[in-house]
Amino acid sequence: MPANHSHCRCCALPIAYAGDELICGQCLKDPPPFSRIVAPWRYRFPVDGMVQRYKYNGQRAYARPLIQDLSTHLTLMLETHPERTPDLLLASPMHPARRRKRGFNQAADIAEHISRQSGIPWSADLVVRNRRTRPQRGLNREERLANLRGIYQVTRIPPASIAIVDDVVTTGATARSLTEVLLEAGAREVQIWALARTPG
């Protein structure tokens, strides 16, 4: 399994140098609003195929080992850094029409599992999508950011510390957009927890 050992300490982008305390050029140039992304796997074979079968074909058995490994990884991280424990897990929101078409929200599946393992409460409705967008697949970073502009709405005052849960972080556009609306609504720190990070 392609473990994401060497990565940017902010956005978890896989990098060639050993360690997890380096910062990538993109984060130095344009620091993200979130405090960190935690993604234990790199999005490449066989993780990419496992996630795609889970996400697009509803074959949940392919995701179970990845979700369990993420949960174990997070448990170890929070034992070492208890100050990183969020008040709430937020499943990355999906437009209701897309959820009906797919049959489930994979981020909610992952958040629910982590919540059961950790005891941290989770929510699927703290933030909602107020309009549909074209799929993010195939878009570059700038196109993804533009595609997501103004689509999220916070439904109530958020807690101080939140971890957004998702399946894969690609360019970080969704993470940035969600974090910005949560911080504007009153959250003080936002982390991103995901199964995998694309190589860039």
Side-chain angles (χ1 to χ4, degrees):
M1 297 289 280
N4 192 16
H5 291 308
S6 302
H7 57 80
C8 170
R9 75 179 188 196
C10 292
C11 73
L13 179 73
I15 54 179
Y17 306 103
D20 59 359
E21 289 303 312
L22 299 174
I23 300 178
C24 72
Q26 182 62 46
C27 287
L28 287 171
K29 179 182 175 184
D30 184 16
F34 47 79
S35 59
R36 72 189 55 82
I37 292 177
V38 178
W41 304 113
R42 295 185 180 200
Y43 190 68
R44 64 180 199 216
F45 181 84
V47 172
D48 53 357
M50 294 167 75
V51 170
Q52 288 169 22
R53 285 176 180 237
Y54 166 54
K55 187 172 179 176
Y56 300 114
N57 299 327
Q59 297 176 349
R60 296 184 177 184
Y62 282 94
R64 287 189 194 120
L66 298 176
I67 295 171
Q68 184 55 54
D69 283 349
L70 172 61
S71 189
T72 300
H73 181 86
L74 292 168
T75 297
L76 294 172
M77 180 189 78
L78 296 178
E79 285 175 356
T80 308
H81 300 283
E83 73 281 359
R84 295 183 183 177
T85 305
D87 300 315
L88 182 74
L89 306 177
L90 172 64
S92 184
M94 178 183 286
H95 192 276
R98 186 163 291 159
R99 188 189 183 286
R100 283 192 299 272
K101 182 178 179 181
R102 190 171 293 171
F104 70 106
N105 178 354
Q106 71 280 355
D109 271 4
I110 301 166
E112 184 177 13
H113 181 90
I114 295 170
S115 177
R116 282 199 309 268
Q117 296 282 324
S118 66
I120 303 168
W122 75 283
S123 171
D125 64 358
L126 173 63
V127 178
V128 295
R129 279 184 179 243
N130 53 30
R131 62 179 170 82
R132 292 189 71 174
T133 59
R134 60 180 173 147
Q136 294 281 81
R137 290 178 74 185
L139 303 181
N140 64 32
R141 184 173 181 274
E142 290 72 25
E143 291 169 336
R144 285 172 180 250
L145 286 167
N147 196 37
L148 296 172
R149 195 166 293 123
I151 71 163
Y152 295 117
Q153 180 180 345
V154 180
T155 60
R156 58 187 179 275
I157 297 172
S161 178
I162 298 170
I164 298 167
V165 178
D166 211 345
D167 56 344
V168 178
V169 175
T170 305
T171 65
T174 299
R176 281 179 175 266
S177 297
L178 278 169
T179 298
E180 285 167 358
V181 298
L182 287 165
L183 294 176
E184 286 170 7
R188 291 202 301 268
E189 184 196 27
V190 178
Q191 304 174 65
I192 315 299
W193 293 354
L195 299 177
R197 181 69 162 92
T198 58

